[in-house]
Amino acid sequence: MRIVIGADHGGFELKEHVRDLLAAQGHEVTDVGAFTAESVDYPPIAERAARMVAAGEAERGILVCGSGNGVAIVANKVPGVRAVNAHDVDETLLARQHNAINVLTLGGRRITAAQAEPIVAAFLDTEAEGGRHERRVAQITAAEGR
Ligand code: RB5
């Protein structure tokens, strides 16, 4: 799968771990930074990754900051992006099944790499359920245009 990944300094370490894991699994991963653990603003990085997802240049996006919140807020400003800050596998499954999220955000200071791994797997491996949820996702998309 084509995946774009990005982080600020608060998510740098976890981003590096997830990127290497996904690359080892054979995914085509585009890393939009940060490339060091030095302090950096997260909005431009999150926006760049989110726009790649919205444009179809990546099928999914993964963004990491300290809390997972800032990057989620930015990503959700981009039309076509549905991002959720997930803390466990169950909420990730629901976010894929019901909300068809295309961007996952993680808190590098909130969860460990070991906790992140099954969350990332659930994000990539779970299909959107369709049906009544598809109608609701279409309503989310419609709200973007109003
Ligand atoms: C950076 O200190 C921190 O504010 C950032 O990583 C993120 O948690 C913002 O939401």
Side-chain angles (χ1 to χ4, degrees):
M1 190 180 287
R2 282 174 299 129
I3 300 165
V4 59
I5 192 164
D8 72 355
H9 52 289
F12 173 73
E13 202 175 312
L14 182 57
K15 183 265 289 177
E16 296 282 291
H17 179 85
V18 171
R19 181 201 61 206
D20 292 349
L21 180 71
L22 295 177
Q25 290 171 353
H27 293 287
E28 190 183 316
V29 187
T30 302
D31 185 349
V32 294
F35 300 109
T36 74
E38 273 179 51
S39 182
V40 65
D41 296 335
Y42 60 82
I45 293 168
E47 182 181 350
R48 181 166 174 215
R51 291 204 183 279
M52 285 183 67
V53 173
E57 294 163 16
E59 293 155 79
R60 302 275 172 86
I62 298 174
L63 290 166
V64 195
C65 64
S67 63
N69 289 332
V71 288
I73 291 167
V74 174
N76 278 314
K77 300 286 184 198
V78 175
V81 168
R82 293 174 301 281
V84 159
N85 182 17
H87 307 84
D88 62 47
V89 168
D90 282 350
E91 79 181 337
T92 309
L93 289 172
L94 282 171
R96 275 296 302 152
Q97 290 166 342
H98 291 192
N99 314 119
I101 61 164
N102 46 18
V103 171
L104 171 74
T105 78
L106 300 169
R109 294 174 179 153
R110 305 303 301 168
I111 61 169
T112 64
Q115 289 169 322
E117 286 185 15
I119 293 173
V120 169
F123 173 58
L124 298 179
D125 297 345
T126 306
E127 292 302 320
E129 253 181 39
R132 68 189 189 281
H133 300 297
E134 194 171 356
R135 182 178 71 243
R136 293 162 186 165
V137 170
Q139 290 168 351
I140 294 171
T141 304
E144 291 173 346
R146 291 198 282 271

